Amino acid sequence: MARGRISRLSVRDIRFPTSLGGHGSDAMHTDPDYSAAYVILETDAEDGLKGYGITFTLGRGTEVVVCAVNALAHHVLNRDLGDIVGDFRGFYRQLTSDGQLRWIGPEKGVVHLATAAILNAVWDLWAKQEGKDPRRLLSCIDFRYITDVLTEEEAHEILQRGQVGKREREEQMLTEGYPAYTTSCAWLGYPDATLQQLCSEALKDGWTRFKVKVGADLQDDIRRCQLIRNMIGPEKTLMMDANQRWDVPEAVEWMARLAEFRPLWIEEPTSPDDILGHAAISKALAPLGIGVATGEQCHNRVIFKQLLQAKALQFLQIDSCRLGSINENLAVLLMAKKFDVPVCPHAGGVGLCELVQHLIIFDFISVSASLKDRMCEYVDHLHEHFKYPVRIKKASYMPPKDAGYSTEMKEESVKKHQYPDGEVWKKLLAAPGD
Amino acid sequence: MARGRISRLSVRDIRFPTSLGGHGSDAMHTDPDYSAAYVILETDAEDGLKGYGITFTLGRGTEVVVCAVNALAHHVLNRDLGDIVGDFRGFYRQLTSDGQLRWIGPEKGVVHLATAAILNAVWDLWAKQEGKDPRRLLSCIDFRYITDVLTEEEAHEILQRGQVGKREREEQMLTEGYPAYTTSCAWLGYPDATLQQLCSEALKDGWTRFKVKVGADLQDDIRRCQLIRNMIGPEKTLMMDANQRWDVPEAVEWMARLAEFRPLWIEEPTSPDDILGHAAISKALAPLGIGVATGEQCHNRVIFKQLLQAKALQFLQIDSCRLGSINENLAVLLMAKKFDVPVCPHAGGVGLCELVQHLIIFDFISVSASLKDRMCEYVDHLHEHFKYPVRIKKASYMPPKDAGYSTEMKEESVKKHQYPDGEVWKKLLAAPGD
């Protein structure tokens, strides 16, 4: 039984000045300050538990998401948590279908990011209060706009089949963890020396799967990919990520030039909205043995539905903060299972690893039941700001042990990084030249 | 030559309490307060001209768009107008590809609406200073993500062919205007008596094309469509609009039931993101003689590109405030011409008629050169708040005669409707029960 009435929603603008070191840089986002709109829900229950939720942003614009969270707050305040999760599908639809607010979405961009932050906090709070019944999960999903591909009955059957061998998979996760790959070595803004050093350290730490950012300059890409492939050797796995830099024909030509480095996938070759474009690229690159991966900027389940229908991707990358929290990600995991496409979540950012580990381990235990062609992104920074950071062992995510959705930040970190009046930003904004 | 440096950008939250009368209500937006984020650009030029731009919203959430306009303001302030329009494509891309802000879009939702409001103001200012050279228009278009369907060379050829017979078409517009249809008679929230009265008045005023809102309740729809078809007779044109209410199979079944009233199109049968869904619906309804129309919530040129590629619509509805102003709408008009799909703009709202008349008359004169299956939406309210309101004659839009983009509001109207401190809102918010 969920307890308490939501008595307070607060939201804060938290930014980390990651652009100073080129961390997170790619062909389209050259100077990201990894940031978050950070939502805290409080109830009047005596347990004193709070729900923490975030959505990830890149610095400027976080204040816009904060504004949208406040615009949605009236749907949450003074509601009983029991009523919210008792009709979670209805609550989800209330947030996403507000007759006035939906115009500025719908279910996309700023309002959907704000929705995710709020829902992530609801899940955190609920999960701290009680364990989850997988069957009940279905009642959290809004099937609107996807019934032509997945009905509630089919989803139920998938989850039923997921019960077989579940205990063994749980055991496997507890001992081995979920396989990960690293994006930490090869941000676009890193000089070759940094790249080499980080790559060599990662190899020592047991990493076997590496992602490199590409797309800004072909000669640079060739040099960097050569360098990494040489360092990791022919057996280990290399992925490439263009962060939407190309048009469709350009993506095909460019990747033909990088094929010699044998990437497993090219990620975000073009606009995240271009389903038919991704399908054309997939078709063209299949003979080269290169798959297409996308998802971190796919804004809702309707886009994922079509990517699957059109055979537009070979690796599906869910995001814990862009889609409408667990509710919408569940729908996507189930559709991916139906189409037999492996899910390899987007992570990194601020808190994305903390969040998405829950989703992908659930996917393995209860939905896909497979690790074939599957791995979860990992980026080694900003975890120190979280109260329950991820644990990586032998390049694998070890299952989280604390109740909740792992998104509570340390109060000290929040205070220092609050924008614009935290200590870190006060200093930076006062610096000459800014 | 464009004159002046942008010295000030101000943005205001303007709302009209249209929900009180059920105006604008449909199956998904039951209580809209027609609103706008209203941008004013000032320069240091001696001419004293200002640029006025809006984006349309439905009430709540306007403050989020206002916040996003402010987040984008640094790209506009202190820039020479000459530099902006001298590399308008570059400026467009700067707004839409800000390395931090694009994360909360990209090119969709709140940030794209804010981009539209700013760009609409730039066009208004520029147009007041000087006439436009159609060839120069191409340099305003960002072809990123659409070159697989339309290259700059092809666009140029289309505009070249559009020169033939241009003068005659200009003359035709000046004397006859651009054909319109009315949505004013049949909002979903209107009782039958209101519907009948408005329909009878519209017939007297010479309207021959009518749109009715459907999608919430089938029996209601049957009754209302019967009523309107009876009133307008078998010859006049009837369109239906479901405002995204249905899933794909549901849309097909529902429309099979309404086919007897012979609608020309069903508008927004399902999610605006569902390209393949619209294609499936188009295919299923073609034998019934019903076309599919969509566009008012299609968030950028990439979605329109795919709708055309997939044969997902038979009528393309551009929106002057959701796409990135004239820049992006030009790209869509040119793609529609290439695919030979008629453009029938979305209008109504606040100022949409004022804006979109420019686009559709330009389309006729310089791009499509045809009125076949074409008409522009018209809604008869809120025009009194504009300094240069549209002029309708015999159910047609008469070309605007004043320089600029027709979006300047009367200062008196702005003051009264500013949210939350304008006179109208102060009174409403103080009323008991609110």
Side-chain angles (χ1 to χ4, degrees):
Chain A
M1 268 300 298
R3 291 179 301 276
R5 191 181 52 85
I6 310 289
S7 54
R8 186 159 181 249
L9 179 157
S10 57
V11 51
R12 298 163 83 172
D13 179 340
I14 312 297
R15 308 190 190 188
F16 300 92
T18 46
S19 64
L20 298 177
H23 314 305
S25 55
D26 64 51
M28 294 293 269
H29 312 88
T30 50
D31 62 342
D33 287 328
Y34 276 15
S35 306
Y38 181 50
V39 171
I40 304 175
L41 293 178
E42 296 172 45
T43 77
D44 60 5
E46 287 181 3
D47 56 24
L49 293 172
K50 297 182 186 179
Y52 298 86
I54 62 164
T55 194
F56 171 55
T57 52
L58 293 189
R60 285 189 296 281
T62 311
E63 78 279 18
V64 185
V65 181
V66 164
C67 185
V69 168
N70 284 320
L72 285 164
H74 65 283
H75 290 297
V76 189
L77 283 169
N78 299 315
R79 294 282 304 266
D80 279 319
L81 183 63
D83 291 345
I84 288 176
V85 302
D87 177 20
F88 213 158
R89 180 182 299 165
F91 179 69
Y92 183 89
R93 193 174 280 191
Q94 195 186 343
L95 283 181
T96 56
S97 299
D98 177 302
Q100 297 191 351
L101 276 168
R102 82 183 293 283
W103 187 265
I104 63 171
E107 299 188 71
K108 62 175 65 72
V110 169
V111 279
H112 214 48
L113 292 164
T115 299
I118 291 173
L119 288 172
N120 281 341
V122 170
W123 278 94
D124 183 54
L125 179 61
W126 188 24
K128 283 171 178 165
Q129 289 191 359
E130 58 173 333
K132 295 288 91 40
D133 169 10
R135 284 176 184 238
R136 196 160 165 195
L137 290 174
L138 282 186
S139 74
C140 303
I141 300 176
D142 187 353
F143 286 88
R144 173 173 266 174
Y145 301 143
I146 58 171
T147 57
D148 50 333
V149 149
L150 184 79
T151 62
E152 188 164 354
E153 298 72 53
E154 288 175 291
H156 182 65
E157 282 163 29
I158 291 173
L159 285 180
Q160 283 293 101
R161 286 198 301 275
Q163 296 293 311
V164 183
K166 195 175 156 187
R167 192 166 300 171
E168 291 76 10
R169 291 193 295 277
E170 278 175 355
E171 200 48 51
Q172 184 183 346
M173 285 295 103
L174 286 169
T175 52
E176 299 168 24
Y178 196 93
Y181 72 86
T182 177
T183 308
S184 293
C185 304
W187 295 108
L188 205 73
Y190 283 174
D192 289 1
T194 308
L195 193 152
Q196 267 171 306
Q197 189 204 325
L198 291 172
C199 196
S200 131
E201 285 170 18
L203 284 164
K204 265 184 232 151
D205 290 343
W207 291 92
T208 59
R209 308 175 184 89
F210 299 80
K211 193 162 82 185
V212 55
K213 296 285 180 179
V214 299
D217 181 282
L218 183 58
Q219 292 314 314
D220 275 353
D221 288 353
I222 291 173
R223 193 188 72 253
R224 289 158 51 86
C225 291
Q226 181 80 68
L227 197 155
I228 297 194
R229 180 50 88 193
N230 283 347
M231 286 194 74
I232 69 176
E235 297 306 320
K236 296 200 173 59
T237 307
L238 182 64
M239 286 85 70
M240 298 179 184
D241 186 356
N243 290 87
Q244 313 167 24
R245 181 62 181 250
W246 304 313
D247 282 20
V248 174
E250 198 180 8
V252 174
E253 288 160 30
W254 201 297
M255 286 312 297
R257 299 292 302 277
L258 298 181
E260 60 173 309
F261 307 111
R262 295 187 302 105
L264 176 67
W265 75 51
I266 174 64
E267 183 172 332
E268 291 203 302
T270 189
S271 163
D273 299 330
D274 198 349
I275 295 138
L276 301 178
H278 280 85
I281 297 167
S282 287
K283 206 173 163 187
L285 297 184
L288 301 174
I290 304 171
V292 166
T294 193
E296 73 184 52
Q297 291 200 14
C298 291
H299 56 265
N300 62 31
R301 66 196 175 283
V302 183
I303 298 294
F304 279 111
K305 176 185 80 167
Q306 295 173 84
L307 287 166
L308 291 166
Q309 287 177 300
K311 301 190 202 316
L313 40 59
Q314 288 70 52
F315 303 91
L316 186 153
Q317 302 178 301
I318 55 167
D319 184 289
S320 52
C321 291
R322 192 171 290 277
L323 292 198
S325 189
I326 296 179
N327 312 66
E328 193 167 23
N329 271 300
L330 281 175
V332 176
L333 294 179
L334 291 162
M335 288 193 287
K337 170 68 179 177
K338 181 167 172 186
F339 283 87
D340 200 21
V341 168
V343 174
C344 301
H346 171 234
V350 179
L352 298 183
C353 300
E354 278 69 20
L355 286 162
V356 93
Q357 61 179 337
H358 294 269
L359 298 174
I360 197 60
I361 291 173
F362 167 80
D363 181 62
F364 173 66
I365 292 174
S366 299
V367 182
S368 76
S370 166
L371 292 180
K372 186 170 182 303
D373 296 327
R374 285 161 171 91
M375 51 188 152
C376 186
E377 184 167 22
Y378 179 70
V379 181
D380 187 18
H381 66 197
L382 304 179
H383 302 291
E384 66 274 21
H385 301 294
F386 287 84
K387 220 161 151 182
Y388 312 103
V390 288
R391 292 179 306 132
I392 298 289
K393 224 165 84 182
K394 294 189 188 154
S396 293
Y397 279 87
M398 301 312 291
K401 293 197 166 161
D402 299 286
Y405 207 3
S406 312
T407 27
E408 185 176 351
M409 290 193 203
K410 292 177 184 163
E411 187 51 31
E412 179 63 16
S413 293
V414 169
K415 263 195 200 147
K416 268 169 90 166
H417 294 89
Q418 187 149 318
Y419 186 89
D421 53 347
E423 187 187 309
V424 168
W425 288 104
K426 263 193 187 156
K427 208 177 286 178
L428 279 169
L429 294 172
D434 203 280
Chain B
M1 268 299 300
R3 290 179 300 274
R5 190 181 53 84
I6 309 289
S7 54
R8 185 156 181 250
L9 179 156
S10 57
V11 53
R12 297 163 83 172
D13 179 339
I14 312 297
R15 308 191 190 187
F16 300 91
T18 46
S19 65
L20 298 177
H23 314 305
S25 55
D26 63 50
M28 293 294 270
H29 312 89
T30 48
D31 62 342
D33 287 328
Y34 277 16
S35 305
Y38 181 50
V39 172
I40 305 175
L41 293 178
E42 296 172 44
T43 77
D44 60 6
E46 287 180 4
D47 58 22
L49 292 171
K50 297 182 187 179
Y52 298 86
I54 63 163
T55 194
F56 171 55
T57 52
L58 293 190
R60 286 189 296 280
T62 311
E63 78 279 17
V64 185
V65 181
V66 164
C67 186
V69 167
N70 284 320
L72 286 164
H74 65 285
H75 290 298
V76 189
L77 282 169
N78 299 314
R79 293 282 303 269
D80 279 320
L81 183 62
D83 291 345
I84 288 176
V85 301
D87 177 20
F88 213 157
R89 181 182 300 165
F91 179 69
Y92 182 90
R93 194 174 280 191
Q94 194 186 342
L95 283 182
T96 56
S97 298
D98 177 301
Q100 297 191 351
L101 277 168
R102 83 184 291 284
W103 187 266
I104 63 171
E107 299 187 71
K108 61 176 64 73
V110 170
V111 279
H112 214 47
L113 291 165
T115 299
I118 290 173
L119 289 172
N120 281 341
V122 171
W123 279 94
D124 183 54
L125 180 60
W126 188 24
K128 283 172 179 165
Q129 289 190 359
E130 57 173 335
K132 295 289 91 40
D133 169 12
R135 282 172 187 244
R136 197 160 165 196
L137 290 175
L138 281 186
S139 74
C140 303
I141 300 175
D142 187 352
F143 286 88
R144 173 172 267 172
Y145 300 144
I146 58 171
T147 58
D148 50 334
V149 149
L150 185 78
T151 63
E152 189 164 353
E153 297 71 52
E154 287 175 291
H156 181 65
E157 282 163 29
I158 291 173
L159 285 180
Q160 284 292 102
R161 285 198 302 274
Q163 296 294 310
V164 182
K166 195 174 156 185
R167 191 165 303 169
E168 291 75 10
R169 290 193 294 277
E170 279 174 355
E171 201 46 53
Q172 184 183 344
M173 285 295 103
L174 287 169
T175 52
E176 298 168 24
Y178 196 93
Y181 72 86
T182 178
T183 308
S184 294
C185 304
W187 296 107
L188 204 73
Y190 284 174
D192 289 1
T194 308
L195 194 152
Q196 267 171 305
Q197 188 204 323
L198 291 171
C199 196
S200 132
E201 285 169 19
L203 284 164
K204 265 185 234 153
D205 290 343
W207 291 92
T208 59
R209 308 175 185 89
F210 300 80
K211 193 162 82 184
V212 55
K213 297 285 180 179
V214 299
D217 181 282
L218 182 59
Q219 292 313 316
D220 276 350
D221 288 352
I222 291 173
R223 193 190 71 252
R224 288 158 52 87
C225 291
Q226 182 77 68
L227 197 154
I228 296 194
R229 180 49 88 193
N230 284 347
M231 286 194 74
I232 68 177
E235 298 306 320
K236 296 200 173 60
T237 307
L238 181 65
M239 286 86 71
M240 298 179 185
D241 186 356
N243 291 86
Q244 314 167 24
R245 181 63 181 250
W246 303 314
D247 283 20
V248 174
E250 198 179 6
V252 174
E253 288 160 30
W254 202 296
M255 285 312 297
R257 299 291 303 275
L258 298 181
E260 60 172 308
F261 308 111
R262 296 187 301 105
L264 176 66
W265 76 49
I266 176 63
E267 182 172 333
E268 292 202 301
T270 189
S271 163
D273 300 330
D274 198 349
I275 294 138
L276 301 177
H278 280 85
I281 296 167
S282 287
K283 205 172 164 190
L285 297 184
L288 301 175
I290 304 170
V292 166
T294 193
E296 73 183 52
Q297 291 200 15
C298 291
H299 55 265
N300 61 30
R301 66 195 176 282
V302 182
I303 298 295
F304 279 112
K305 176 184 80 167
Q306 295 173 85
L307 286 166
L308 291 165
Q309 287 176 301
K311 302 190 200 319
L313 40 60
Q314 289 68 53
F315 303 91
L316 187 152
Q317 302 177 301
I318 54 167
D319 184 289
S320 53
C321 291
R322 191 172 291 275
L323 292 198
S325 189
I326 297 179
N327 312 66
E328 193 166 24
N329 271 301
L330 281 174
V332 176
L333 293 180
L334 290 162
M335 288 193 289
K337 170 69 179 175
K338 183 170 169 184
F339 282 87
D340 200 21
V341 168
V343 174
C344 301
H346 171 236
V350 179
L352 297 184
C353 299
E354 277 69 20
L355 287 162
V356 92
Q357 61 178 340
H358 294 269
L359 298 173
I360 197 61
I361 292 173
F362 167 80
D363 181 62
F364 173 66
I365 292 174
S366 300
V367 182
S368 75
S370 166
L371 291 180
K372 186 171 180 307
D373 295 328
R374 287 163 171 88
M375 51 187 152
C376 186
E377 184 167 22
Y378 178 71
V379 182
D380 186 21
H381 66 197
L382 304 178
H383 302 291
E384 66 275 20
H385 301 294
F386 286 85
K387 219 162 151 181
Y388 312 102
V390 288
R391 291 179 306 133
I392 297 289
K393 223 165 84 182
K394 292 189 190 155
S396 293
Y397 279 87
M398 301 312 292
K401 292 197 164 157
D402 300 286
Y405 207 2
S406 313
T407 26
E408 185 175 351
M409 289 192 206
K410 292 178 187 162
E411 188 50 31
E412 180 62 18
S413 293
V414 169
K415 263 194 200 147
K416 267 170 88 167
H417 294 90
Q418 187 148 318
Y419 187 89
D421 52 348
E423 189 186 308
V424 168
W425 288 103
K426 263 192 186 155
K427 208 177 287 177
L428 279 169
L429 295 172
D434 204 281

